[in-house]
Amino acid sequence: MVGFFIFIFTWFDWKVIKTENYTVIYKPGYEYEALHTLKNLEYYRKNVVRLTGNNPRIVPVVIEDMGILSNGYTDPFFYNIHVFINPPNFDYYLEGIEDWFRNVSVHEFTHIAHMTKTTNLPKLLTGAFGSPFQPNMYSPGWLIEGITVYSESQISPYEGRLNDGFFDAYLELRAKENKLPGIVETTYEPLSFPYGGIYLYGGEFFDFLADKYGNDRFARFFETYGSYPWAPLGAIFPFLGPDHAATKVYGKRFPVLFSEWHHYLKSKPTEKNYDAARLTSDGWYIPSMVNYQSKIYYVREKPIKVNGFSYEVLVQLMEYDLQKKKEKIFTTIDSWLTTKMRLYNNNLYFCLAEIKQAKNVYLNGFGITSVLKRINLETKKSEILLKDDIRTFCVLNDLAIIYIKNKNSGFGSEIWLYTPEERKKLFEVEYLINDIETNGKWIIVSAKKEFENTDLYILHIEDESLKPLINTPWAEGSLYFIDEDLLGFIANYKGRHYAYGIDLTNPGQIYQYIKAGFVNSFVVLDTILTFSGLNMDGFDIYKTQRQQELFKLKDDESALKPDFGSLNIQTKKGNYFDIAGTLYPSARLPVFLPVDSTFKKWLYSAVIAGADATGENFYLTWLGYDQLSDEPLLITSLQSHFFSPLALEFFYDFATTINILFYYPIYNRLHYGISNITLRFSINSFENFVRKEISPEISFTGKSPYSTYFGDFSIPLERVLLNSSIDRTCLRGKIGFNRILFNGEVRTQINGFYDFQNPDTPAVSIRGYNTVYAPGIAIFTVEYSNPLFKLRKGLWNPNIYFEDFFGTIFFDYAMLPENEDCYSLGMEFSVETKIGFNFFKILPTVMIAINRDKEPKITLKIKSLSPLKS
């Protein structure tokens, strides 16, 4: 019994530190991250309050460890912020982030301040009935993310996405091609480069508004829109919502303001194009490249849309032969890169994302780590060397690798040595190292101090020191040795990403190689310089003659660092009661419905919903009284990850039903082969609680190159001994296999059940037939879907968008034990449809099928997807 209570109370180990403005919640061991986040929130609070015109108080902020995954999110409905602790490093561009916790805190707090801004009647309604009446939540994604990107970019001229250079460079390309995104495209984000267009276009649009009209109007807009109780309707008809508010504040509707923005972008001076030959044309993302002999090796990440609102991301190691001028797929990769690739002799080294256990709720106790792999370019033989939270690495030789990890607590890095015999920590430094490279003679790192961007240093293993090479307020990285004493790197000086080199024997000697467009990595082979450059479609490989000219660094003024000592922050410790307090219902909606045709009998009820700030527990209850049946109404559901990774779902209907479901992932991986195995166990009581059922279940998923497969098997059981009205054994199962083919997807599945002891004969849906009732069945399905063409058209008023048009051919075969078999052949045509600022997605589908009796059947069905969180 004592052991049980110790087991239970280990789940109450959340720590709390708070001020009058914030309640920071964290697990033991993350005190530095919690306090540092709190200091940044308090220090930059006034900036966000002034920008948004809102002063939120007692904001819960949850610190989560996701391994090497970097992000954060805001939930305005349940009123909390979550910060992932890992400072970002590797990406397809070199973003300046002087301090991660400042950057993410300001971004997420801006979300809360913006979306919870209410005035007049909505303020009264929100106070009485909860967060569904917050008008600013019902905004397009580019508005929601645009203000936050703008906000994060005002802290420092060297931090935030508007100061990095990628956003500006890509918009300049679109302006040159006269293909700037309209307000409808920006709102609905069709699957196209780049991911996260609402951040790019929204941030740049807000920057334009601030420059032309002044950023003081942002707060006026949020206040105006925050007074509209009809804001949800404005998501369908923007002229009633955002456009109406924009007209009051700016004198113009948003489509007109977008046109002004486009005119401004087209009138800006542009850079010259690359003086280089374009070798590839696939676009999307190229995060890393190396050269070996006369070949270039690079990784390309590219999504393939396979069905309505469904796509797969292909990660492929590509080989381009410069002599033969041919590109080919060298091998496919089973997850995404987490570091730059390295080459030593004929071996290629790279780190891939993999799953590990971590202290978080967001991923149910799992996070991301790195697996370091080696692949021989001659034999294609690959092997896994180690698994760890690798931030970056370099190869000393075939038997020794230096890799970098974040310090276990606080700011800085750990330097580790890997050999086949052991791995050991060498020492720690008070720098955050983002990149490391060596050629045997030199070890160079791209590293940063607190509240600074990365600079270049020589790493001396012997005396555990870093000797500075370049010191600027901008970011330097993507290190590459051009010659023995010549180091190549990418830097975003003045917000432009170009290729540079530095003479390590004479650090004052800096060269520039490419000074047009946007470059994220490059390699040199004899007199040929090959690089990954940005175009309208994403990144592609270009080549040009190696040319270099001297480059003089300008003496740019450093950014101001925060003076936390000036705040005099008064903090105090909290406890689990602070977390329990966040369970207070966020939605308290009265619902009154007529229950007869005379409107004399009514259902008087309320919907109540809430969740704790950590995300461990969520509840939804519908409580009321039905005059027609003269009975109370009580329907409630609960989801809990309190014992993560064990999860619980509970559903209770006062009149008829109880369902309890436990599920536990016993295996989680990203690599090829079996990737997930989950056990489920449900307890159900239904039919006015007369029948009792237990159901053990196991499911799995897996993948191989271009393919995925899955299975699910359960055995629902009823026994009189368990107080059920009948004895029953049911067998259920399905197994399937999907494969990408010709830019579409083939899907095969066998699905069936055996349930002869069930007095309620189950209903089965078979395409081409009306509903079939059978105690058992086995259905074989094969289908192929393909995007037939892109529509990419829509309207701002009313707010609707049609993305891609899909076609599917199918063959279904059903074996029935008591009737003749059924089969059908047919086609389905569907169109991806998005409505109301992308909050709702539906897939209208027309099915044409011919069954065994040669009877044609035409059916219209609409699949609805739940609204997505921002």
Side-chain angles (χ1 to χ4, degrees):
M1 182 62 71
V2 173
F4 174 77
F5 280 105
I6 292 174
F7 174 77
I8 288 292
F9 281 101
T10 57
W11 267 264
F12 289 94
D13 65 346
W14 288 102
K15 303 292 183 182
V16 176
I17 184 172
K18 55 187 181 179
T19 64
E20 62 178 357
N21 296 315
Y22 305 97
T23 300
V24 181
I25 303 164
Y26 60 98
K27 289 286 188 178
Y30 300 96
E31 288 77 12
Y32 165 81
E33 291 79 5
L35 185 58
H36 196 59
T37 298
L38 181 58
K39 288 179 179 178
N40 277 294
L41 283 166
E42 289 286 0
Y43 191 86
Y44 294 98
R45 175 183 180 82
K46 60 184 182 296
N47 300 28
V48 176
V49 170
R50 182 172 58 251
L51 188 66
T52 61
N54 192 20
N55 187 19
R57 304 293 293 275
I58 317 177
V59 181
V61 181
V62 183
I63 307 298
E64 297 202 79
D65 183 354
M66 312 292 293
I68 62 172
L69 192 64
S70 302
N71 211 333
Y73 70 91
T74 297
D75 190 332
F77 192 95
F78 293 120
Y79 194 63
N80 57 68
I81 291 171
H82 287 239
V83 172
F84 303 167
I85 67 169
N86 183 67
N89 174 26
F90 174 67
D91 210 335
Y92 57 92
Y93 63 94
L94 192 71
E95 183 182 345
I97 297 180
E98 294 174 320
D99 186 85
W100 165 242
F101 294 98
R102 176 176 69 180
N103 183 280
V104 69
S105 298
V106 168
H107 182 104
E108 302 304 338
F109 181 56
T110 304
H111 271 317
I112 279 287
H114 161 221
M115 288 189 281
T116 63
K117 174 66 175 177
T118 56
T119 58
N120 300 338
L121 181 58
K123 188 171 185 177
L124 296 176
L125 293 173
T126 300
F129 304 119
S131 53
F133 292 93
Q134 298 173 150
N136 278 293
M137 290 198 312
Y138 306 99
S139 301
W142 54 262
L143 198 155
I144 290 173
E145 296 299 345
I147 183 59
T148 56
V149 169
Y150 178 84
S151 180
E152 76 184 33
S153 303
Q154 304 312 301
I155 304 168
S156 161
Y158 312 107
E159 181 170 279
R161 280 166 277 196
L162 293 179
N163 298 317
D164 160 68
F166 171 71
F167 281 14
D168 288 342
Y170 187 68
L171 267 185
E172 185 177 297
L173 285 168
R174 294 202 68 157
K176 277 184 180 180
E177 298 289 331
N178 199 27
K179 292 182 179 179
L180 288 167
I183 193 169
V184 176
E185 177 189 340
T186 303
T187 300
Y188 283 103
E189 287 194 293
L191 184 64
S192 58
F193 181 88
Y195 294 136
I198 55 176
Y199 296 84
L200 192 160
Y201 306 131
E204 292 280 351
F205 178 61
F206 266 80
D207 195 41
F208 161 76
L209 291 178
D211 184 60
K212 182 169 183 178
Y213 296 98
N215 65 12
D216 58 305
R217 297 203 192 192
F218 297 158
R220 288 171 53 194
F221 174 83
F222 301 146
E223 181 175 8
T224 303
Y225 193 44
S227 69
Y228 292 176
W230 60 83
L233 187 61
I236 306 296
F237 302 103
F239 70 89
L240 296 173
D243 276 351
H244 191 270
T247 302
K248 283 190 172 185
V249 176
Y250 294 100
K252 302 162 188 174
R253 298 181 302 113
F254 273 122
V256 178
L257 292 170
F258 258 69
S259 295
E260 289 185 355
W261 177 46
H262 287 183
H263 179 75
Y264 163 76
L265 291 173
K266 292 176 183 177
S267 65
K268 289 176 64 177
T270 60
E271 281 198 326
K272 63 179 182 180
N273 294 325
Y274 297 123
D275 183 18
R278 184 172 174 177
L279 304 181
T280 66
S281 57
D282 288 327
W284 289 95
Y285 296 102
I286 298 179
S288 186
M289 63 186 298
V290 299
N291 64 294
Y292 173 65
Q293 295 179 351
S294 61
K295 298 174 182 177
I296 306 297
Y297 293 88
Y298 50 95
V299 170
R300 190 184 296 279
E301 299 176 7
K302 181 179 180 181
I304 299 291
K305 188 173 282 191
V306 295
N307 206 350
F309 301 118
S310 175
Y311 66 90
E312 299 287 339
V313 177
L314 298 179
V315 184
Q316 298 167 326
L317 177 59
M318 309 297 296
E319 177 188 274
Y320 189 92
D321 191 315
L322 291 169
Q323 293 180 346
K324 297 180 180 179
K325 300 180 181 180
K326 285 187 177 181
E327 180 189 39
K328 72 175 184 179
I329 300 171
F330 188 79
T331 187
T332 58
I333 298 176
D334 48 6
S335 66
W336 65 93
L337 261 66
T338 61
T339 67
K340 294 285 186 181
M341 298 188 296
R342 302 299 186 208
L343 182 74
Y344 186 82
N345 289 336
N346 59 352
N347 287 318
L348 185 63
Y349 298 78
F350 52 88
C351 286
L352 297 178
E354 188 50 279
I355 293 176
K356 70 165 191 174
Q357 289 188 326
K359 293 181 179 180
N360 65 72
V361 178
Y362 184 75
L363 288 181
N364 198 25
F366 293 97
I368 300 298
T369 189
S370 287
V371 170
L372 178 58
K373 299 186 72 172
R374 175 169 60 197
I375 183 169
N376 187 279
L377 296 178
E378 302 292 343
T379 65
K380 289 191 177 182
K381 180 183 177 181
S382 65
E383 57 183 324
I384 294 176
L385 301 180
L386 74 142
K387 178 180 177 181
D388 209 338
D389 291 345
I390 302 170
R391 188 170 182 83
T392 182
F393 73 96
C394 67
V395 182
L396 296 177
N397 54 59
D398 284 329
L399 299 176
I401 294 171
I402 292 178
Y403 68 95
I404 309 298
K405 296 173 59 176
N406 295 339
K407 282 180 66 173
N408 190 43
S409 179
F411 183 87
S413 301
E414 299 175 353
I415 289 87
W416 287 69
L417 176 66
Y418 162 84
T419 65
E421 293 76 26
E422 65 172 345
R423 61 175 108 167
K424 64 178 180 179
K425 184 168 75 171
L426 300 178
F427 55 93
E428 296 182 357
V429 293
E430 299 302 314
Y431 295 81
L432 189 63
I433 298 176
N434 280 357
D435 202 1
I436 183 171
E437 180 60 300
T438 184
N439 62 353
K441 179 179 179 181
W442 305 91
I443 301 177
I444 310 298
V445 299
S446 168
K448 63 192 294 296
K449 301 175 183 177
E450 281 195 287
F451 293 101
E452 293 184 5
N453 275 317
T454 51
D455 290 309
L456 299 184
Y457 298 86
I458 301 172
L459 174 63
H460 294 285
I461 299 292
E462 303 80 14
D463 60 4
E464 304 178 1
S465 67
L466 274 70
K467 178 184 177 183
L469 285 169
I470 290 180
N471 188 305
T472 74
W474 302 97
E476 293 95 0
S478 297
L479 310 181
Y480 165 77
F481 274 96
I482 300 172
D483 294 315
E484 181 181 44
D485 297 319
L486 184 59
L487 177 78
F489 63 96
I490 303 294
N492 68 335
Y493 301 140
K494 301 297 182 183
R496 296 288 182 176
H497 289 235
Y498 298 146
Y500 299 91
I502 181 171
D503 187 338
L504 298 176
T505 62
N506 182 11
Q509 199 88 344
I510 299 175
Y511 305 99
Q512 186 170 4
Y513 293 96
I514 302 169
K515 52 181 180 179
F518 182 100
V519 180
N520 75 348
S521 56
F522 72 103
V523 297
V524 176
L525 182 62
D526 297 326
T527 61
I528 301 298
L529 188 148
T530 309
F531 62 93
S532 169
L534 181 66
N535 57 62
M536 273 279 295
D537 303 317
F539 289 92
D540 275 299
I541 303 299
Y542 296 78
K543 79 168 183 176
T544 185
Q545 289 293 315
R546 173 182 172 178
Q547 296 177 347
Q548 63 186 37
E549 60 182 59
L550 284 173
F551 176 80
K552 183 173 178 56
L553 283 173
K554 294 185 178 179
D555 189 17
D556 293 303
E557 185 177 347
S558 298
L560 293 176
K561 298 180 181 181
D563 180 11
F564 292 141
S566 66
L567 288 179
N568 192 25
I569 302 175
Q570 300 297 316
T571 64
K572 59 180 179 179
K573 292 185 178 180
N575 52 46
Y576 198 82
F577 289 106
D578 293 292
I579 301 172
T582 64
L583 284 166
Y584 181 77
S586 297
R588 310 169 291 277
L589 302 176
V591 179
F592 306 117
L593 299 172
V595 290
D596 71 349
S597 58
T598 67
F599 290 89
K600 293 182 179 179
K601 302 288 186 180
W602 286 76
L603 170 65
Y604 300 100
S605 63
V607 174
I608 301 170
D612 65 40
T614 66
E616 285 183 332
N617 301 291
F618 162 82
Y619 63 89
L620 175 68
T621 297
W622 189 9
L623 178 67
Y625 176 73
D626 186 345
Q627 284 188 324
L628 186 64
S629 63
D630 195 28
E631 289 184 350
L633 169 74
L634 176 59
I635 299 175
T636 188
S637 65
L638 168 71
Q639 296 176 9
S640 179
H641 293 267
F642 190 73
F643 296 106
S644 175
L646 175 68
L648 165 69
E649 292 182 4
F650 172 83
F651 175 83
Y652 174 69
D653 184 335
F654 173 79
T656 62
T657 307
I658 294 177
N659 303 118
I660 304 173
L661 170 65
F662 301 91
Y663 55 94
Y664 188 86
I666 61 173
Y667 185 80
N668 258 334
R669 292 291 184 271
L670 293 176
H671 58 61
Y672 288 145
I674 298 294
S675 55
N676 173 271
I677 301 175
T678 299
L679 299 179
R680 293 179 177 86
F681 185 80
S682 62
I683 303 171
N684 308 307
S685 182
F686 53 100
E687 289 190 4
N688 296 316
F689 307 112
V690 171
R691 294 176 61 178
K692 312 289 192 306
E693 177 190 84
I694 60 173
S695 179
E697 180 181 356
I698 185 171
S699 62
F700 72 90
T701 58
K703 62 180 181 178
S704 58
Y706 308 104
S707 303
T708 58
Y709 48 92
F710 58 90
D712 188 281
F713 306 95
S714 63
I715 308 176
L717 301 169
E718 295 184 66
R719 293 292 182 267
V720 174
L721 286 174
L722 298 177
N723 205 28
S724 182
S725 60
I726 63 171
D727 284 321
R728 166 177 164 255
T729 300
C730 174
L731 303 176
R732 292 185 178 274
K734 66 178 178 181
I735 190 167
F737 177 81
N738 305 331
R739 183 170 179 84
I740 295 173
L741 183 67
F742 305 127
N743 289 322
E745 185 177 56
V746 177
R747 295 183 291 273
T748 59
Q749 181 174 303
I750 300 174
N751 187 2
F753 64 86
Y754 181 92
D755 199 8
F756 278 76
Q757 294 173 312
N758 193 344
D760 300 325
T761 306
V764 183
S765 178
I766 304 172
R767 285 179 287 193
Y769 292 84
N770 296 323
T771 302
V772 175
Y773 294 89
I777 195 171
I779 303 175
F780 170 76
T781 296
V782 59
E783 60 185 19
Y784 176 72
S785 65
N786 196 288
L788 299 180
F789 55 87
K790 297 177 180 179
L791 294 170
R792 311 285 168 102
K793 300 292 182 182
L795 299 172
W796 176 245
N797 273 297
N799 205 254
I800 189 170
Y801 186 75
F802 304 102
E803 189 165 330
D804 293 345
F805 187 81
F806 283 84
T808 301
I809 57 174
F810 67 84
F811 174 73
D812 292 347
Y813 189 96
M815 293 181 288
L816 299 166
E818 297 177 351
N819 300 292
E820 62 181 14
D821 295 348
C822 300
Y823 55 83
S824 62
L825 179 68
M827 296 179 293
E828 291 181 342
F829 299 98
S830 57
V831 57
E832 295 173 317
T833 306
K834 303 176 180 180
I835 303 171
F837 299 157
N838 219 3
F839 285 114
F840 299 99
K841 298 180 180 181
I842 60 174
L843 196 66
T845 302
V846 174
M847 181 190 71
I848 305 170
I850 299 178
N851 60 27
R852 175 175 179 162
D853 298 323
K854 299 182 180 179
E855 297 174 345
K857 186 174 183 180
I858 301 176
T859 305
L860 172 65
K861 58 182 180 179
I862 297 178
K863 181 180 179 182
S864 176
L865 281 75
S866 300
L868 298 177
K869 286 186 179 181
S870 294

